């Protein structure tokens, strides 16, 4: 399960990574689980933090950005698949503080005598995903 803090609760979220969105790296509350923050902090301990970054290059701007988002999404899905029964993942970046954004760098390259654009996408700051285990 993937959780994110909203005010005084941790709520379950679905991935919503879309290159056409204002916030490309997004999470949508699915309202399946809601845990008061105090209860979560008493019941779970962080056992690992993963800082996810990626870099992708391509010739088509939107496709390149979406490839970057797909890489991040697949890494989160791998982390979810590796969870043990008493573990959850938590998005630790905070909106307005250290929230990850896609960053674009454009360069001119010459291909067969013609000028072309080459797009490089990265994520900054890294997307921090914490793995938490229920305290026995």
């Amino acid at each position: 399960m993937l959780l994110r803090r909203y005010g005084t609760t941790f709520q379950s979220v679905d991935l919503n990574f879309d290159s056409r969105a204002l916030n490309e790296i997004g999470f949508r509350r699915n309202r399946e689980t809601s845990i008061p923050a105090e209860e979560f902090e008493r019941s779970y301990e962080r056992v690992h933090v993963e800082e996810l970054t990626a870099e992708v290059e391509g010739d088509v701007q939107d496709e390149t950005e979406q490839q970057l988002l797909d890489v991040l999404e697949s890494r989160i899905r791998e982390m979810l698949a590796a969870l043990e029964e008493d573990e959850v993942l938590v998005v630790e970046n905070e909106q307005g503080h250290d929230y990850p954004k896609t960053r674009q760098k454009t360069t001119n390259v010459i291909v067969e005598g013609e000028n072309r654009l080459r797009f490089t996408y990265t994520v900054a700051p890294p997307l921090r995903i914490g793995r938490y285990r229920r305290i026995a």
Side-chain angles (χ1 to χ4, degrees), residues 83-98:
L83 287 177
E84 295 178 15
E85 187 175 317
D86 59 345
E87 293 180 335
V88 296
L89 295 180
V90 175
V91 177
E92 295 193 344
N93 300 86
E94 296 178 30
Q95 197 78 25
H97 177 66
D98 64 347

Side-chain angles (χ1 to χ4, degrees), residues 31-93:
R31 307 211 188 277
E32 291 176 9
T33 302
S34 180
I35 305 169
E38 289 180 9
E39 179 183 329
F40 181 84
E41 291 164 357
R42 276 193 319 267
S43 303
Y44 287 86
E45 65 181 345
R46 184 168 65 183
V47 293
H48 182 71
V49 173
E50 188 80 29
E51 291 192 349
L52 303 178
T53 60
E55 182 174 316
V56 176
E57 290 186 19
D59 298 326
V60 179
Q61 183 176 4
D62 185 58
E63 289 176 10
T64 305
E65 186 177 23
Q66 190 60 53
Q67 287 174 358
L68 173 82
L69 296 171
D70 292 345
V71 167
L72 292 174
E73 185 173 338
S74 76
R75 290 178 63 193
I76 293 172
R77 292 197 187 284
E78 288 171 5
M79 293 171 70
L80 285 166
L83 287 177
E84 295 178 15
E85 187 175 317
D86 59 345
E87 293 180 335
V88 296
L89 295 180
V90 175
V91 177
E92 295 193 344
N93 300 86

Side-chain angles (χ1 to χ4, degrees), residues 89-116:
L89 295 180
V90 175
V91 177
E92 295 193 344
N93 300 86
E94 296 178 30
Q95 197 78 25
H97 177 66
D98 64 347
Y99 202 75
K101 292 278 295 168
T102 59
R103 308 290 182 195
Q104 173 189 316
K105 179 180 160 194
T106 307
T107 56
N108 289 319
V109 295
I110 298 174
V111 177
E112 297 176 5
E114 294 184 11
N115 283 333
R116 303 279 180 172

